[in-house]
Amino acid sequence: MAAKGVGAGRRSDYDDAAPRPGRCEGDGLAMNMIDPGQPPGQGATQRALVVFTPSGRRGRFALGTPLLQAARSLGVDVDSVCGGRSICGRCQVEIGDGQFAKHGIESRAGHASETGAAELRYAEKRGLKPGRRLSCQTLIQGDLVVDVPPESQVHKQVVRKDAEHRVIEVDPPVKLYYVEVREPDMHDPSGDLRRLEEALAEQWGITGLDCDLRVVQRLQKALRDGGWTCTVAVREQRVKRLLAVWPGFRDKIYGLAYDVGSTTIACHLCDIETGEVVASGGAMNPQIRFGEDLMSRVSYIMMNPGGDKALTEAVREALNDLARHVTAQAGLEVEDVLEVTLVGNPIMHHLVLGIDPIELGGAPFALATDQAINIWATEIDLRIHPNARVYVLPCIAGHVGADTAAVILSEEPHKSDDLRLIVDVGTNAEIVLGNKDRLLACSSPTGPAFEGAQISSGQRAAPGAIERVRIDRDTLEPRFRIIGNELWSDEEGFAQKVRRTGVTGICGSGIIEVLAEMFLAGIITQDGVIDGSMAARSDRIVADGRTFSYVLHRDGERELRVTQNDVRAIQLAKAALYAGVRLLMDKLGVDQVDRITLAGAFGSHIDVKYAMVLGLIPDCDLAKVVAGGNAAGTGARIALVSRAARAEIEQVVRRVEKIETAVEPMFQQHFVEAMALPHKTAAFPNLAAVVELPAPKVAEAGDGEGGRRRRRRG
């Protein structure tokens, strides 16, 4: 029945509310597995398990169900405006191929229907990237992992990794020189390159140049097109090298600074000679379809021989897409880019460079190299200027990468008298603690919960996502603000403003705020239990199976809830982060820090007060706790335009003491104590001076989790 509705000229029935063959029963909004225990082949209809990434939503469906229908029944964000007629092409997805240990599933291209005539027609007329399928035309034939790329999502990702303003001392590794070259002479048999080198020596005092074949291949045409004048680019990094030549006069040269994160990739196009950011862009890391976290990706590689090549190809293509995007944004060509800097955590670092990261998946977490790297852009398949070079910042340890080196370069804790704590908050939190006397660093596995994943109503930052929350202490009624709208939900005109996007979910900063507000209002106990007895005060607290939930937003029959599992997910993430911080403080023998900087795309948008209320970070004077923006991206930009900065960071990282949380015996104890809000034993006097923290309490007896726990204690 479902298959009949997708042909050209037929009305789509995918949005009908009534059940139909192939529809997945249950509410997909909560991200729960639907019917997880029933294996395919049992029951009246054989069913297959389908997992959609990056949302993680999953369910079992009858064979023959269109993927678009399956996605919609689970509430997966897939775009389509043509009603499944294979006309718009907005519902494109990618089928995973291999063993996905995290999901407990083997996904194969053969587990989906073969490419049909409708898809072939679309591909012929509009083009379809290799590996892409139209979900409206693709039928489920077996277990599948299906990735929904950002461009196929209705609420497309807003990647908040903008360039921060900072004064940088520009000392570019590549410089331009305009020269006038002698014309060839029958009586002087010297070649064009020799006469160019003579001109550079005479007019600029530049000698001892190495020259690449690619320059020689373009040299004669450039000189003749320019009437024996040209502009050359010289790279002065260890060895002076002639990189490029253009006819006539040219006064601009550009570079790219990449911050390759586990979840997002940021790219800044800069004028190398001025340091000016002329364009910026961001994208989801396409590797997320192989696993949301780093260890899942390493697991994929271990279980799928050659899987590292697939992950490398995916991230390199994303780098090329961003290069095209930012150069087009600035009205330039990709060949205008001559220099690139790149930072990332150790696994991203290795995969971009084409190095198998399996050794990083287990002790002793050995890096292939911890040194800075200078390579040709072509060596990592970057399609920019053919002679462009890439500088990769040094890594620090097996779990502390070039991104942390870039954070240090940006924030300069090694020049500070104050004891500074810098936390780059992401799927993996990188932590630096110290001052000019001593620097320590570690990495803590927080997971993707802070970015909206693993949260029942969670989503990544996009228009319509709740990003700010306040809860009335007396009535327990919430008010909130969404991305793309400055009005609060209780202000006049809010309903009209949100008609275009709707209220779609809760992003990372919203999750932090709603949980902190629930704690301050007494809805959540210090142990992180939603207190069911509060239901007597507000219908926002509702029974949810054997626990309770808090209803943040109601829209007809649809609700955005904060569940007990959501609270646990954030507790686990914040406890891992705090435990990493505490380990570094133990190593330094301190109980207080002077200043705290929250960095990273997510850290930049957290209200620091609420971060401290939840116990993400230790107690500190709130006036000295700041959001530092995308410090890793800023560090990459500094290295792009400063030779001195490159030399500096190569020296500083050798001084950093690396702490491996995975083998530290105190990590587990710190983790357990940090599960409480804000902490089980640590005092927060600075926070208590500005925020009225609730007295510790235990959830009262009732139908929920807290009640059962209390009865067991008795």
Side-chain angles (χ1 to χ4, degrees), residues 119-194:
E119 281 181 285
L120 291 173
R121 284 196 300 271
Y122 178 86
E124 183 178 352
K125 292 179 180 178
R126 305 279 296 277
L128 201 59
K129 287 185 178 180
R132 290 282 178 91
R133 299 293 304 273
L134 299 181
S135 62
C136 65
Q137 300 296 316
T138 306
L139 308 183
I140 299 167
Q141 302 292 353
D143 293 349
L144 291 170
V145 173
V146 181
D147 182 60
V148 183
E151 58 267 31
S152 297
Q153 298 171 17
V154 178
H155 306 290
K156 294 179 174 56
Q157 175 73 23
V158 176
V159 180
R160 297 177 169 188
K161 284 195 173 183
D162 299 326
E164 282 72 45
H165 295 291
R166 172 177 169 160
V167 177
I168 300 170
E169 185 177 342
V170 178
D171 174 27
V174 182
K175 296 180 181 178
L176 294 178
Y177 298 94
Y178 173 76
V179 290
E180 297 176 350
V181 181
R182 284 191 297 112
E183 295 186 37
D185 190 310
M186 287 291 291
H187 304 289
D188 179 2
S190 61
D192 287 351
L193 177 60
R194 183 182 299 278

Side-chain angles (χ1 to χ4, degrees), residues 275-311:
E276 177 192 2
V277 177
V278 296
S280 294
M284 300 300 295
N285 188 331
Q287 291 180 343
I288 203 167
R289 66 177 180 268
F290 300 97
E292 288 179 346
D293 55 78
L294 295 174
M295 288 302 106
S296 293
R297 296 177 203 178
V298 173
S299 173
Y300 177 88
I301 293 168
M302 295 174 71
M303 299 185 67
N304 297 276
D308 58 310
K309 294 181 176 57
L311 271 76

Side-chain angles (χ1 to χ4, degrees), residues 7 14 26 72 77 105 123 148 159 167 175 178 189 193 204 213 242 272 306 318 361 376 482 509 557 591 639:
Y14 298 160
R72 286 185 167 176
D77 194 12
I105 188 173
V148 183
V159 180
V167 177
K175 296 180 181 178
Y178 173 76
L193 177 60
W204 292 98
L213 177 60
L242 193 58
I272 293 180
W376 300 110
I482 66 169
S509 60
E557 296 183 359
D591 290 317

Side-chain angles (χ1 to χ4, degrees), residues 28-111:
L29 189 63
M31 288 190 186
N32 294 321
M33 179 187 288
I34 307 301
D35 191 17
Q38 180 184 348
Q42 294 189 11
T45 306
Q46 187 173 352
R47 305 172 75 77
L49 175 62
V50 181
V51 179
F52 290 91
T53 63
S55 68
R57 301 189 182 194
R58 56 176 63 200
R60 292 197 181 275
F61 299 89
L63 302 190
T65 304
L67 278 176
L68 180 61
Q69 180 180 327
R72 286 185 167 176
S73 70
L74 289 173
V76 176
D77 194 12
V78 182
D79 201 359
S80 178
V81 298
C82 68
R85 296 180 176 87
S86 68
I87 298 171
C88 70
R90 296 193 182 187
C91 67
Q92 295 179 30
V93 296
E94 295 183 10
I95 306 296
D97 192 74
Q99 293 280 353
F100 292 80
K102 178 177 180 178
H103 303 302
I105 188 173
E106 179 181 357
S107 174
R108 299 294 176 193
H111 292 183

Side-chain angles (χ1 to χ4, degrees), residues 254-273:
Y254 298 94
L256 293 172
Y258 286 107
D259 172 16
V260 185
S262 309
T263 305
T264 60
I265 303 172
C267 175
H268 305 304
L269 177 67
C270 303
D271 182 324
I272 293 180
E273 293 201 316

Side-chain angles (χ1 to χ4, degrees), residues 4 10 39 45 55 72 93 171 173 186 205 208 223 232 247 322 358 398 520 539 557 576 581 611-612 638 650 683 686:
K4 292 180 181 178
R10 292 183 182 272
T45 306
S55 68
R72 286 185 167 176
V93 296
D171 174 27
M186 287 291 291
L223 286 174
V232 298
L322 278 170
I358 282 181
L520 294 174
D539 64 358
E557 296 183 359
V581 172
M612 195 175 291
I638 294 170
E650 289 174 26
N686 285 291

